[in-house]
Amino acid sequence: MLFRHSRFLILCIFLFKISPNAYSQKTDYNKTDLKLWYDKPATDWMTQALPIGNGYLGVMFFGDPAEERLQFSEGSLWAGGKGANEEYNFGLRKDAYKTLPKIRELLEQGKLAEADKLASAEMTGIIHEKKGNTPSSDFGAQQTMGDLYVSVSHTSAVKNYRRELDISTATGKVTYEVGKEKFERTYFGNYPSRVMVYNFKSTSPETYSIRFSTPHKKEYEKFEKNQYIFGGSLKDNKQEFETTYRIDTDGKISYDSGIVTVKNARKVTLIHTASTDYTYQFPKYKGNDYKKINQQVLASVASKNETALQSEQQKDYKNLFDRVSLKLGTDHITSVPTDKRQIAYFQGTPDPGFEVLYFQYGRYLMISSTRPGTMPMSLQGKWNDSTNPPWANDYHTNINIQMLYWPAEVTNLSECYLPLSDFTKSIVEPGKLASKEFFGTRGWTVNTMLNAYGYTSPGWSFPWGFYPGGAGWLSQHLWEHYAFTNDVDYLKNTAYPIMKEASLFWIDYLTKGKSGFLVSSPSYSPEHGGISTGASMDHQIAWDVLSNTIRASKILKTDTDFANEAQKVRDHIQPPQIGRWGQLQEWNEDVDDSTDKHRHVSHLFALHPGNQISPTATPEFAKAARVTLDARGDEGTGWSLAWKVNFWARLQDGNRAYSLFKRILRPVGDKAENMVNGGGSYSNLLCAHPPFQLDGNMGSTAGIAEMLLQSQAGVIELLPALPDSWPAGEIKGLKARGNVTVDAQWRDGKLVSATLISGSSGKQKVKLGTKTLEVDLIKDQKKVVSVGLFQ
């Protein structure tokens, strides 16, 4: 990708002053207010509007008293694919692999420039441009569906305004007064019933006007039996969709030319759903009976009012959200709006409650945007207001989609991972075609840019587009879901077959290098540097997927011959190397620049999320990783900062991890691309990549969990990277590998006790500092581990 640098500076945050009295409020642990709230409406989608969702739909609400804007997107609405261009063939370039021997020969001769030129000419994936389309290529992009506007007339000024998002209940709310009249709006997403609910109330009868706006082609529009229905299609690929809502009201309804008017109403409730014709079925990805689905959804809620739907939503949501609680300190500044609170926090006002809010916000966003049966989260989760969003709002596989799902297992939301599992399974078949045509291998692969239509080929420009490690990295998540749940059926029927195919790719692609070890050649480190005889990340991912597949084979007692072959290959992969200035090398060639501040630090994959490097098992490599991180510095984009939080947590340096986490909360108003020292958070606490990407939120949430609990080495480590800024606290409900739920309490920076509950009986190693003990766990029974046991 090509990026430009932003010069935006936020000077106003240093000028803002708040009365000291505003910070006198101290909230009890059990009454922490998990709300984002503001004293004015949002005027900007990216930086101010607030996100709600039900897994299928992502909605942003603005809270304008005169006209509410409910902007929404459905995850499967995608431009591109065969419908956009009959020549679309998933990016495949026939027999591209035949160029590999010549490229490798040039690399062996040290002719890197010539090798890169040949690879760039012969191994890029294909897209087809078509003028007049938005987006212009058949790679496509995820699409907004449109906006619902709900207007109400006011005769005098608005006062006592408040816009909020309560993440403990997944409820948005807007309240204000006009004269003596009070107005209240309540918004929430209901996953079990597959609807969004928008409820408008007033103390006096009002007239409401409701209209739908979309950038896409209208196929039909009608209103009958209190139900609005709009059918549309995308211009480029003719993908069909339908959005519909039911109105419940005490007022009088009329309809004319697409506008629904409700007069003399104290209450108006919209029960909203949407669907598309998209399916996971390769190669057409079309055929979902979206009209029938919408009919079934509204039929299923025909007897449910907003109260019943909210009751159902609360039961479903709290079953997930309430599994984990975090308490840090006693200062929780909830008496000022969140945007002002964020500024004060960044200026140095202690506010551990704000850090808790951000941690739980990540879990809220996950629950709201990725549920079984939905599309996986894309770069912006399920929230997109554009037909041409940044980076197509796609599924980047060289860090981003993986980071989006880092919190799923450890923060006790394993079910929320399943959409990515389903999607991974769906791209194996096109991934096999990419492996065959570009690499001449068995198995499957996926490169940097992945769309909803099986584009698993290398991207259409080098070096950023070439990244065959995506399948191996996605396979790590398959293994981790098993590791955290101990679900053997899932391992056998879903994870292992996919992991095995990803392993076959690396078994075939790796070739013997000058050192005698197996290397990935040709190779590019993600979005950084030139061609190489082996980018370290490739070797680390190959080692990881082969190791996990070998373990799975032994657990399932299957494929012994394959496991033996995989182990032989794994044990001959080029190991991590320490370079001339003590760094962990990014490439086979020792060419790392100690002044380079690039956002990608991909060659530390083995430290996190991998487990090939650790301070205890491989201290020399861990030291070299630290040297690399020191050289790269503590700046970066949103997701880059989040990854560094996790790196430092794995290195058990809690203070360094915490300092980076604080940078992620830096107030940002800039929306331009800044790939050097961007980062921070918008006033709605969404990650300012910039522009907005959800991976920074998710990676940071996972990073906080890594500071408090780790289990990647087969040992449950308690408080492995606790920062000095959190001297006292309590975490409940985190998950460790082995299907163990962990609670921990600490005081004066030291553990008081921990409670473990396992899904199965057996012995478990538990570590605190340098001390390790073995405890007996009985299925579903609490095991209290006190600090005294480690002495």
Side-chain angles (χ1 to χ4, degrees), residues 148-453:
L148 281 173
Y149 292 94
V150 183
S151 63
V152 55
S153 299
H154 299 116
T155 57
S156 55
V158 171
K159 60 183 180 180
N160 296 329
Y161 179 91
R162 181 179 172 111
R163 174 174 58 101
E164 71 174 42
L165 176 62
D166 186 341
I167 64 172
S168 66
T169 62
T171 305
K173 187 171 286 188
V174 179
T175 57
Y176 58 92
E177 297 175 16
V178 176
K180 295 182 180 180
E181 306 304 327
K182 295 182 179 181
F183 294 80
E184 179 179 291
R185 305 171 185 174
T186 304
Y187 311 134
F188 60 89
N190 179 314
Y191 167 70
S193 287
R194 195 171 173 166
V195 295
M196 301 297 300
V197 179
Y198 321 118
N199 189 35
F200 297 76
K201 293 195 300 185
S202 59
T203 54
S204 63
E206 300 290 342
T207 296
Y208 292 85
S209 177
I210 307 154
R211 62 186 175 90
F212 172 59
S213 174
T214 181
H216 307 301
K217 181 182 177 182
K218 180 172 71 173
E219 300 292 345
Y220 55 88
E221 185 178 32
K222 56 186 176 181
F223 186 82
E224 53 190 25
K225 298 180 180 179
N226 288 2
Q227 182 180 343
Y228 172 84
I229 304 173
F230 181 97
S233 63
L234 302 190
K235 296 174 184 177
D236 78 321
N237 65 3
K238 309 302 185 290
Q239 185 188 14
E240 298 174 354
F241 69 90
E242 183 183 82
T243 184
T244 180
Y245 62 82
R246 183 186 92 210
I247 296 183
D248 292 344
T249 182
D250 59 353
K252 184 178 179 181
I253 303 171
S254 62
Y255 174 77
D256 183 50
S257 302
I259 298 176
V260 178
T261 302
V262 185
K263 294 183 177 180
N264 201 33
R266 286 184 171 87
K267 183 191 76 169
V268 174
T269 302
L270 308 183
I271 299 171
H272 176 215
T273 192
S275 189
T276 79
D277 67 3
Y278 177 88
T279 73
Y280 276 150
Q281 298 302 312
F282 172 84
K284 292 185 177 180
Y285 297 98
K286 192 177 180 69
N288 185 44
D289 192 344
Y290 60 98
K291 296 179 184 179
K292 183 177 180 180
I293 288 175
N294 284 347
Q295 290 169 0
Q296 291 174 338
V297 167
L298 287 186
S300 71
V301 299
S303 61
K304 299 177 183 178
N305 60 18
E306 72 274 11
T307 302
L309 287 168
Q310 188 159 29
S311 177
E312 181 181 61
Q313 175 255 353
Q314 287 296 293
K315 182 179 180 180
D316 168 70
Y317 178 77
K318 285 182 169 294
N319 174 53
L320 295 171
F321 186 81
D322 289 353
R323 293 174 184 176
V324 172
S325 64
L326 175 63
K327 303 169 185 177
L328 299 172
T330 56
D331 293 315
H332 300 272
I333 302 164
T334 60
S335 59
V336 295
T338 301
D339 51 343
K340 298 178 177 64
R341 183 182 185 184
Q342 180 188 15
I343 292 170
Y345 171 83
F346 184 70
Q347 290 178 332
T349 301
D351 190 358
F354 188 55
E355 297 165 346
V356 173
L357 174 67
Y358 188 86
F359 169 77
Q360 292 285 29
Y361 190 42
R363 297 183 68 246
Y364 160 82
L365 291 166
M366 173 162 278
I367 297 169
S368 300
S369 61
T370 175
R371 304 293 292 275
T374 73
M375 294 288 284
M377 290 182 284
S378 51
L379 287 176
Q380 296 176 182
K382 290 287 165 62
W383 296 279
N384 171 29
D385 72 334
S386 175
T387 58
N388 194 23
W391 303 291
N393 191 21
D394 76 345
Y395 309 103
H396 262 48
T397 71
N398 66 356
I399 175 65
N400 309 94
I401 193 171
Q402 293 91 344
M403 182 179 283
L404 285 166
Y405 282 89
W406 283 353
E409 308 294 347
V410 69
T411 72
N412 217 332
L413 298 174
S414 289
E415 301 95 323
C416 292
Y417 160 69
L418 294 177
L420 180 58
S421 178
D422 292 340
F423 187 59
T424 300
K425 185 177 181 179
S426 79
I427 59 176
V428 171
E429 193 169 351
K432 286 182 177 180
L433 297 178
S435 290
K436 176 179 179 293
E437 296 297 348
F438 286 97
F439 305 103
T441 68
R442 296 172 295 171
W444 73 288
T445 190
V446 58
N447 287 264
T448 307
M449 299 279 285
L450 171 63
N451 66 8
Y453 300 114

Side-chain angles (χ1 to χ4, degrees), residues 625-646:
R626 180 182 287 268
V627 170
T628 291
L629 285 171
D630 281 332
R632 285 292 169 91
D634 290 351
E635 294 292 343
T637 60
W639 64 261
S640 179
L641 291 172
W643 201 357
K644 290 174 183 177
V645 171
N646 287 272

Side-chain angles (χ1 to χ4, degrees), residues 572-602:
H572 285 84
I573 294 174
Q574 174 76 62
Q577 300 176 85
I578 298 175
R580 66 191 187 284
W581 45 276
Q583 87 284 9
L584 199 72
Q585 287 183 205
E586 187 165 359
W587 301 275
N588 248 352
E589 301 82 10
D590 188 0
V591 295
D592 297 82
D593 181 355
S594 61
T595 66
D596 189 354
K597 306 298 181 185
H598 199 272
R599 65 195 177 279
H600 278 270
V601 198
S602 302

Side-chain angles (χ1 to χ4, degrees), residues 652 708-720 736-737 740-744 751-758 762-778 782-791:
Q652 301 187 352
L708 301 176
L709 179 72
Q710 294 180 25
S711 60
Q712 68 276 4
V715 179
I716 294 177
E717 296 190 59
L718 303 172
L719 309 181
R737 292 166 182 84
V740 181
T741 304
V742 180
D743 303 343
L751 180 76
V752 175
S753 66
T755 302
L756 280 62
I757 302 177
S758 177
K763 295 185 179 297
Q764 174 65 57
K765 291 183 179 180
V766 184
K767 185 178 181 181
L768 178 66
T770 60
K771 304 287 186 179
T772 302
L773 60 88
E774 191 171 68
V775 298
D776 290 312
L777 298 180
I778 300 174
K782 292 183 178 181
K783 178 70 175 183
V784 178
V785 180
S786 65
V787 67
L789 295 175
F790 292 95
Q791 296 174 349

